[in-house]
Structures are given as C-alpha cells and as structure tokens.
Amino acid sequence: DTEVTQTPKHLVMGMTNKKSLKCEQHMGHRAMYWYKQKAKKPPELMFVYSYEKLSINESVPSRFSPECPNSSLLNLHLHALQPEDSALYLCASSPGTGVGDTQYFGPGTRLTVL
Amino acid sequence: GDSVTQMEGPVTLSEEAFLTINCTYTATGYPSLFWYVQYPGEGLQLLLKATKADDKGSNKGFEATYRKETTSFHLEKGSVQVSDSAVYFCALFRGYAGGTSYGKLTFGQGTILTVHP
C-alpha cells in the first residue's frame, strides 16, 4: 500500500482566517514533504521533515507553519494568507531521503484564498 | 545546480499511436530518475523509476531507460489510450550531496498529453 491521504480536499478561506491542512501516511515512512503547485507548473518544495524534525524550509513565508506531531502525521497551519497563495498543496512521503527513496504523493488540497 | 528539461508540449496523439516524451537532466553524482503522471484534478502518481545507469523502469506499458552517457530518461509507450491523457513530469532525486542528505525532487516543466479516439 502506497497511500498518502490529505484532508480537506478543497478549502476556501478569507485572508484573516486560520486553517490547517492535514496529511497522513501509514507506510512507516520517515520523511514527509509539503509542496505547492500552481496551475500548469511543477510542484515546488516548501518543507521537508525527516524523522519528525524539520530539515528543509525553502524560504517559505511565516504565514505557512508546518508541524509533524508524529511519524505518520504532517500538518500545515495557514494564517493571514494572500490570494496568490491559492494553489494545490501536495503532501508526499518517502522511506527516507536516500537517493533510492521514492516520494509518494497524496491527492492534494485545493486551496482558494479570497 | 540540478535541472531537468522536458520536451515542450502539448503533445496530441491519436489512440494507438506511439508516444515519446523526451527528458534530459543535469546533475552531479548519480541521481535517481522518475516519471510522475498527474491526471486532471488529482495529485501526482509515480509512473516508473530507475536508480542507476542502464536501468529500465516500466509500468502500465510505459518504459524509460536511464542513459548516463546522454543524461536522458525518455518516456515511451507503444500504443497510447485516451485514458493516458494527463500531464507527465520527469524528475530527478539526488538524495545525498556533499555530506548532507537532501530530500528535494527536481522536476521538469511537465508535458501535457492529449489522446484522441
């Protein structure tokens, strides 16, 4: 089983709202990722967690706050977003971050910021 | 830095036609190479992968061979179906670099494939 689940599937929020995206995997993977994808573009890496510790932050604005409560869960907390943050947010996981490790993606959360 | 270049799309084919989507890469060391597919409104699905030179990845009739001498990983399928219509991303992963592990997939720009009946 190579399933990564994400909730919610769709989210509409105002610029003053606080919301969270959730990602879950039960494959025993020790690395988890958040990506942002704009229409007709490849995904852009935002954060990498390895063994529940944040190992990479790709200079993402502080209005995005990741959290990894345990090895199976990854959250992305959103606050004071801008309309240009509207995008598909993808979560992925991999066994580790070695060169042979494959990243498996979830279905994504379609975020619209009004 | 690492980079992946895919042939520009969109690509439009008739059902049962032969498909090639070119992918070349630039990277130091020995990256793993991947093809991901994204159907409309969905996330990315792993299509196939290769982890070392001359490896051939295959899945669902798609194939790609890791060619280090030409730094290429071209995707091929002998007979496409309407259900293959999607966006295809070539990607590389260099998990270990300069003494630190690094978990960044480097993607190409994506190629939109449309297959007509």
Side-chain angles (χ1 to χ4, degrees):
Chain A
D1 184 11
T2 55
E3 188 177 25
V4 176
T5 59
Q6 289 187 244
T7 55
K9 191 171 177 61
H10 299 278
L11 179 63
V12 179
M13 60 186 291
M15 289 190 285
T16 58
N17 292 156
K18 285 185 181 181
K19 297 286 185 183
S20 297
L21 310 184
K22 180 180 173 181
C23 172
E24 197 163 3
Q25 57 89 13
H26 294 288
M27 296 177 278
H29 289 178
R30 302 317 301 264
M32 297 186 76
Y33 312 78
W34 280 114
Y35 288 84
K36 174 183 177 180
Q37 186 181 25
K38 301 286 271 185
K40 302 187 188 301
K41 296 291 187 183
E44 299 173 2
L45 182 67
M46 300 174 73
F47 303 102
V48 179
Y49 273 83
S50 179
Y51 289 85
E52 300 163 49
K53 289 187 175 7
L54 182 65
S55 60
I56 296 175
N57 176 340
E58 291 281 284
S59 302
V60 178
S62 60
R63 56 186 185 268
F64 296 92
S65 175
E67 177 196 21
C68 188
N70 60 56
S71 60
S72 300
L73 278 175
L74 186 66
N75 297 319
L76 186 63
H77 302 299
L78 314 173
H79 174 55
L81 295 192
Q82 304 297 309
E84 59 265 28
D85 296 321
S86 298
L88 181 67
Y89 287 84
L90 294 164
C91 175
S93 72
S94 63
T97 55
V99 66
D101 288 319
T102 300
Q103 292 185 28
Y104 296 93
F105 286 80
T109 294
R110 178 80 55 190
L111 174 67
T112 303
V113 182
L114 301 177
Chain B
D2 298 345
S3 67
V4 175
T5 302
Q6 289 182 234
M7 66 184 288
E8 291 188 16
V11 174
T12 303
L13 295 172
S14 297
E15 207 165 24
E16 299 183 3
F18 185 85
L19 169 70
T20 299
I21 300 178
N22 290 339
C23 172
T24 57
Y25 68 91
T26 302
T28 57
Y30 302 91
S32 291
L33 301 175
F34 302 86
W35 278 101
Y36 284 91
V37 59
Q38 187 171 33
Y39 298 100
E42 297 185 11
L44 273 69
Q45 296 180 23
L46 176 69
L47 184 58
L48 52 84
K49 73 173 189 179
T51 57
K52 60 183 188 298
D54 300 325
D55 267 1
K56 178 187 281 189
S58 62
N59 186 27
K60 300 180 182 178
F62 291 91
E63 293 183 341
T65 300
Y66 189 161
R67 302 286 188 200
K68 191 156 179 65
E69 64 275 16
T70 54
T71 62
S72 65
F73 193 53
H74 304 320
L75 183 68
E76 296 182 337
K77 187 176 185 183
S79 176
V80 293
Q81 306 299 311
V82 172
S83 56
D84 294 327
S85 299
V87 182
Y88 292 80
F89 290 100
C90 184
L92 73 81
F93 184 62
R94 192 161 52 87
Y96 184 85
T100 60
S101 61
Y102 189 68
K104 183 175 181 176
L105 268 175
T106 299
F107 287 94
Q109 286 304 301
T111 302
I112 300 172
L113 171 66
T114 303
V115 180
H116 293 296

